[in-house]
Amino acid sequence: MWQGLGLALALCLLPGGGAESQSASSHCKEAPRWQIRDQDPMLNSLGTVTVVALLQAKMIFNIICIFFLLKPFRLEDLRVKLENEGYSNISYIIVNHQGMPSQLNHKTLKEKVSEHIPVYQQDEKQTDVWSTLKGNKDDFLIYDRCGRLVYHLSLPYTFLSFSYVEDSIKTTYCEQNCGNCSYTVSSLFNDFG
């Protein structure tokens, strides 16, 4: 039984074998408008590659929850690693789940990252950002400098112990998958010049 489960998990982790949600209809389209209270994080990040992580703060009840609570730590580690490799001018955004348990544990999630990664808490009365972005828990959305969606990654591709998120950020940073962007030329010269 365990061998079969291991094989199924391995197949899910192969490219094309799992749940990498990247629909052709959303690829290279501008991010839908969304706000949290009076802030517009996507507008504020134009000109940078933007990584939006949909994470959920919750209480730790078992070992599985502990594993998922490590994701913000690993996102901070990834941010530092990429910055040390010369990938600067990248915006990281965490959007916490809208539900009341997540709101109550927002501070815990926020404490897991540095001030370089803002953690936004949705209000239950506002339009759900996760729904607007067509995202789910632990999804990562990666936008180019012009705010166009290049990658929308879902589990298991968002386990930060694998390189899918990192590779997607680097590809978005270095290539023009969605065509020319008015921010690209000046940004690249500023980053490496």
Side-chain angles (χ1 to χ4, degrees):
M1 179 177 123
W2 290 109
Q3 289 176 335
L5 182 61
L7 178 61
L9 180 60
L11 289 174
C12 284
L13 297 177
L14 291 174
E20 183 178 18
S21 64
Q22 179 70 47
S23 69
S25 63
S26 64
H27 183 72
C28 289
K29 288 192 176 177
E30 286 187 31
R33 294 283 308 201
W34 58 273
Q35 289 185 288
I36 296 192
R37 294 181 179 80
D38 61 344
Q39 297 181 17
D40 190 337
M42 290 302 296
L43 183 62
N44 296 338
S45 69
L46 276 178
T48 67
V49 169
T50 304
V51 179
V52 178
L54 306 180
L55 302 181
Q56 184 174 11
K58 58 184 174 180
M59 293 298 291
I60 300 173
F61 291 115
N62 58 38
I63 195 72
I64 295 171
C65 290
I66 291 170
F67 179 75
F68 285 106
L69 204 55
L70 293 175
K71 192 166 279 197
F73 281 125
R74 292 196 173 163
L75 181 58
E76 179 66 27
D77 292 343
L78 178 60
R79 183 196 69 77
V80 170
K81 177 184 181 209
L82 290 174
E83 193 171 281
N84 288 338
E85 291 177 4
Y87 294 93
S88 59
N89 206 19
I90 298 174
S91 297
Y92 298 86
I93 298 168
I94 295 175
V95 180
N96 192 10
H97 188 262
Q98 190 175 31
M100 185 53 72
S102 298
Q103 286 187 31
L104 295 174
N105 293 293
H106 173 75
K107 184 179 177 188
T108 304
L109 181 60
K110 196 169 184 169
E111 290 171 350
K112 305 237 176 282
V113 292
S114 72
E115 69 278 358
H116 300 289
I117 303 178
V119 180
Y120 291 96
Q121 177 56 58
Q122 302 185 68
D123 187 319
E124 280 190 315
K125 296 176 184 120
Q126 74 175 70
T127 303
D128 180 30
V129 173
W130 288 22
S131 296
T132 301
L133 297 175
K134 296 181 174 84
N136 296 303
K137 181 180 170 303
D138 296 317
D139 281 6
F140 278 75
L141 294 91
I142 302 166
Y143 296 90
D144 70 5
R145 289 171 179 85
C146 282
R148 299 173 296 198
L149 180 64
V150 180
Y151 292 98
H152 182 161
L153 302 171
S154 297
L155 287 174
Y157 294 96
T158 61
F159 286 118
L160 294 176
S161 53
F162 300 124
S163 66
Y164 295 107
V165 172
E166 179 179 349
D167 292 344
S168 298
I169 294 169
K170 288 178 176 180
T171 299
T172 303
Y173 191 91
C174 296
E175 298 177 13
Q176 295 182 9
N177 291 329
C178 295
N180 292 330
C181 176
S182 60
Y183 294 104
T184 303
V185 175
S186 62
S187 295
L188 287 175
F189 284 122
N190 289 336
D191 291 346
F192 293 107

